[in-house]
Amino acid sequence: MIVSVVSMPGGTVTRTDMSEARQRLAESDFLLVDIQLPDEPTPEEQPIVHQLGLEPERLTWFGRAGEPARAEFLGDRAGFVVPVIEGDQVAHVHAVVTERQLITVHRGPVRALAGLTARLGQERPPDTAAVLFLLLQDALETFRRNAVQALLAVEDLEDEMFEQRRPEQIYRLARLRRRAALLHHSLLPYLQVTDELFTRRMLSRSFPEERQRLAREFQHAARLVLTEIESLQDAARRAFASHASLVSGEQNGVINRLAIVSTIFLPLTFLTGFFGMNFSYLTNELESRAVFWLLAVGLQASVLFVALYVLHRTQIWRRLRDEEGPEERRRSEGTVSPHARRTGRR
């Protein structure tokens, strides 16, 4: 367990233990206490509310693993469970704010809180409510950065698919789609509970004007982040549709080629089946080698020539060539573009 105490407005950070943090909470004003718990809870771990001397009956959820998103007003304090993107996972920061202190608890390191501590000395927020909104904005920023990064990855992947489709692209696209679903699933319930809390508080006359402004700014930023995540989901669905369209186009090309092969060999199959019958005329009259070469080989060659001529005149070959991408045509011609040579593509 790592306990950090930040004295405000100067932003001086002090590493301490739980007993000293409890004492400073009882004596000091304008204080930020950040507690980092182990990644996995231990059986002998005592509730944080008991260790800090808080009211356990009102904060039973505080510091407990697996808590969902939360935002509630508790009379003289407010409690939040804030989702934060940490690497590839969603971490949850538990926060309790009063007029004098802000206490945060989380499992494992959270870079958003480290950035918040660094900003306190520069921005010098006037009260703990302002510090809380800085924390909420930083948590939103982690979702926004991840959504933008994933959106750019989807667009690059879609461009790669149109240049040259490869099997691993669909797996990368599926991971990005799951990433978008994780962001949306984690952020949407949190925004619903915070909107409900802030809307109800802004209707109260006792809610200060400055805090109403901070709440409106947070709600506006939250809607923008949610829109970006929904744009990421739309882009992922569009990329899947593009991949399906490319696969369908390739399948149509294969079907067209099979139809051409069938057109060529269907008359030949008919000829071989016809001359393979045991009719008396075929067995008695067509006995010379010249007749065999004329009817068996010559007739088949004539049919093949006529079929190829008809395909050429109807420009079917050209349509099939147009269906091929630039990479396939370069491979068929034995040439590679400079860009493909630099990237190692053939």
Side-chain angles (χ1 to χ4, degrees):
M1 180 183 301
I2 301 176
V3 181
S4 301
V5 178
V6 184
S7 300
M8 296 179 289
T12 304
V13 182
T14 304
R15 291 289 177 88
T16 182
D17 56 11
M18 188 64 72
S19 60
E20 183 177 350
R22 178 174 180 173
Q23 180 180 358
R24 294 190 63 177
L25 283 172
E27 298 175 352
S28 304
D29 293 336
F30 208 1
L31 201 67
L32 168 62
V33 177
D34 177 58
I35 303 172
Q36 177 181 329
L37 300 176
D39 294 335
E40 297 294 335
T42 57
E44 65 276 4
E45 183 178 280
Q46 295 183 358
I48 296 296
V49 291
H50 292 293
Q51 299 183 51
L52 292 176
L54 303 176
E55 302 176 16
E57 65 277 1
R58 303 178 66 184
L59 298 171
T60 56
W61 54 269
F62 189 62
R64 188 166 58 189
E67 283 295 311
R70 179 187 299 268
E72 57 186 10
F73 183 67
L74 304 172
D76 60 342
R77 67 191 67 186
F80 294 84
V81 177
V82 184
V84 180
I85 300 299
E86 185 65 29
D88 294 332
Q89 303 295 327
V90 178
H92 289 85
V93 177
H94 296 205
V96 171
V97 60
T98 67
E99 294 293 338
R100 298 172 53 240
Q101 295 106 10
L102 172 62
I103 308 171
T104 58
V105 177
H106 53 92
R107 296 192 177 273
V110 176
R111 283 174 291 182
L113 285 174
L116 172 65
T117 305
R119 292 171 58 188
L120 292 179
Q122 301 173 357
E123 301 192 11
R124 294 183 177 272
D127 54 20
T128 53
V131 179
L132 173 66
F133 279 104
L134 285 178
L135 170 61
L136 300 183
Q137 292 282 3
D138 288 348
L140 279 181
E141 184 64 19
T142 62
F143 280 88
R144 189 195 67 81
R145 285 197 300 266
N146 275 265
V148 171
Q149 183 181 4
L151 179 60
L152 294 176
V154 169
E155 292 176 350
D156 292 341
L157 188 58
E158 191 173 8
D159 291 339
E160 291 180 10
M161 287 191 301
F162 278 102
E163 290 181 2
Q164 182 180 7
R165 192 179 63 84
R166 294 189 296 273
E168 65 271 11
Q169 292 169 344
I170 191 64
Y171 299 107
R172 291 166 53 192
L173 188 58
R175 288 196 298 268
L176 290 170
R177 187 172 183 176
R178 288 196 298 269
R179 182 72 169 178
L182 174 64
L183 294 177
H184 191 267
H185 182 75
S186 302
L187 185 62
L188 185 58
Y190 166 67
L191 295 186
Q192 289 176 343
V193 294
T194 53
D195 277 345
E196 181 181 353
L197 173 65
F198 291 144
T199 302
R200 186 170 62 249
R201 289 297 296 155
M202 284 189 289
L203 293 176
S204 174
R205 296 181 179 179
S206 62
F207 198 56
E209 183 65 28
E210 177 63 21
R211 295 184 184 178
Q212 291 188 26
R213 182 186 64 82
L214 293 174
R216 285 193 294 267
E217 290 179 355
F218 168 78
Q219 289 177 319
H220 177 68
R223 285 191 290 269
L224 292 179
V225 173
L226 186 61
T227 300
E228 291 181 351
I229 294 176
E230 292 173 349
S231 299
L232 170 61
Q233 291 180 309
D234 292 339
R237 285 191 288 265
R238 184 178 64 248
F240 267 104
S242 299
H243 184 273
S245 176
L246 291 174
V247 172
S248 177
E250 293 177 0
Q251 291 177 346
N252 290 337
V254 172
I255 293 174
N256 290 338
R257 292 178 179 86
L258 291 177
I260 291 174
V261 172
S262 300
T263 302
I264 294 174
F265 283 95
L266 184 60
L268 305 182
T269 305
F270 169 76
L271 291 175
T272 55
F274 178 78
F275 285 105
M277 298 179 184
N278 290 325
F279 291 118
S280 58
Y281 177 79
L282 294 176
T283 56
N284 298 329
E285 300 296 333
L286 304 180
E287 294 180 349
S288 65
R289 181 177 300 178
V291 173
F292 169 77
W293 285 107
L294 178 61
L295 295 180
V297 178
L299 188 56
Q300 294 188 22
S302 301
V303 171
L304 180 60
F305 175 78
V306 171
L308 293 176
Y309 178 76
V310 171
L311 292 175
H312 177 73
R313 293 293 296 177
T314 55
Q315 298 183 349
I316 294 180
W317 294 120
R318 183 175 299 178
R319 289 200 297 269
L320 289 177
R321 182 179 178 83
D322 292 340
E323 291 177 358
E324 295 180 349
E327 293 292 332
E328 286 77 2
R329 285 199 295 268
R330 282 195 291 268
R331 284 199 300 268
S332 63
E333 296 170 358
T335 60
V336 181
S337 66
H339 173 72
R341 192 179 297 110
R342 288 194 300 269
T343 56
R345 298 176 182 172
R346 292 187 56 82

